[in-house]
Amino acid sequence: MEPITLTTRRLLLRSFTPEDAEAVYQACQDPDIQRWTTVPSPYTRRHAEEFTGQMVPDGWQTGTMCTFAMLPREGGTLMGSIGVTLRTLSGTWEVGFWTAKEHRGRGMTAEALGAVAHWTFTRLKATRLEWRAEVGNAGSRAVAERAGFSHEGTLRAALMNKDTLRDAWIGALLPSDLGLPTPCPYLPAPRG
């Protein structure tokens, strides 16, 4: 799959390039990004170079991991990263994101998440988009909920981070949550 570019009212979402390595390196020095995401810690320039020069292009090429750099639409510095990874052949994808410290709290990541979710359902024909975060990552949960994800519960020992299994919150978004058709019928469980 060829990388694509998405735009929102305020954002430009494009594939990372090797020229982004320094900006990724600087953003990932933030202790919160190292604490709450699965980026290596300590985070070195080599990690940023491998991410921008190998991991991101390989994911697009195989069509199993599509990662976007989040930038201001009118130009400016890197604001964050958002990507989707194929989890099941039945169409479940998982979203992951981080936001540079100076760009948090303005709804930018939720805006990016909305655009990436819509693209995942329409272009990748996802049946379900999952969000997972370590229990306690309130910022990530707020972004997911703002973008329409339904919190579905807590999974014990479901997230490997820094060689330690951790409990994870899980939420999901379905095409119908965005008013989009589903690629196959869905029969929800009866409520009661």
Side-chain angles (χ1 to χ4, degrees), residues 2 8 12 33 45 47 68 70 110-111 123 129 138 147 151:
E2 288 296 316
T8 69
L12 173 74
I33 290 175
R45 279 188 171 77
H47 293 123
F68 298 89
M70 191 170 68
E111 185 175 322
R123 173 65 169 83
L129 183 58
H151 182 255

Side-chain angles (χ1 to χ4, degrees), residues 11-192:
L11 299 171
L12 173 74
L13 305 170
R14 61 151 173 84
S15 183
F16 282 92
T17 68
E19 291 75 30
D20 296 315
E22 181 61 24
V24 169
Y25 168 74
Q26 292 298 330
C28 289
Q29 297 311 299
D30 177 10
D32 287 335
I33 290 175
Q34 290 188 28
R35 164 64 182 93
W36 293 110
T37 73
T38 58
V39 302
S41 182
Y43 195 84
T44 66
R45 279 188 171 77
R46 181 181 58 81
H47 293 123
E49 290 165 1
E50 289 172 355
F51 175 73
T52 60
Q54 182 179 357
M55 185 180 206
V56 170
D58 288 354
W60 280 101
Q61 184 178 22
T62 62
T64 59
M65 187 174 72
C66 305
T67 307
F68 298 89
M70 191 170 68
L71 301 153
R73 186 171 179 166
E74 304 305 321
T77 61
L78 178 71
M79 301 171 78
S81 173
I82 185 165
V84 292
T85 303
L86 181 62
R87 290 296 177 218
T88 69
L89 295 179
S90 63
T92 298
W93 290 73
E94 183 178 336
V95 67
F97 49 83
W98 55 257
T99 308
K101 188 174 194 165
E102 62 272 19
H103 298 290
R104 294 180 194 145
R106 294 184 288 154
M108 299 289 198
T109 308
E111 185 175 322
L113 181 51
V116 170
H118 188 275
W119 176 79
T120 303
F121 291 131
T122 57
R123 173 65 169 83
L124 302 178
K125 303 299 181 206
T127 57
R128 175 180 166 90
L129 183 58
E130 292 183 346
W131 155 86
R132 293 174 190 228
E134 185 178 335
V135 170
N137 189 345
S140 182
R141 183 171 175 170
V143 167
E145 289 176 345
R146 197 172 303 126
F149 282 70
S150 294
H151 182 255
E152 295 179 331
T154 301
L155 303 174
R156 296 181 310 142
L159 187 120
M160 178 67 80
N161 191 359
K162 316 299 184 269
D163 298 322
T164 302
L165 285 171
R166 300 163 192 258
D167 292 346
W169 285 325
I170 185 167
L173 192 65
L174 303 177
S176 58
D177 296 333
L178 300 180
L180 298 170
T182 58
C184 57
Y186 165 50
L187 180 62
R191 295 187 186 244

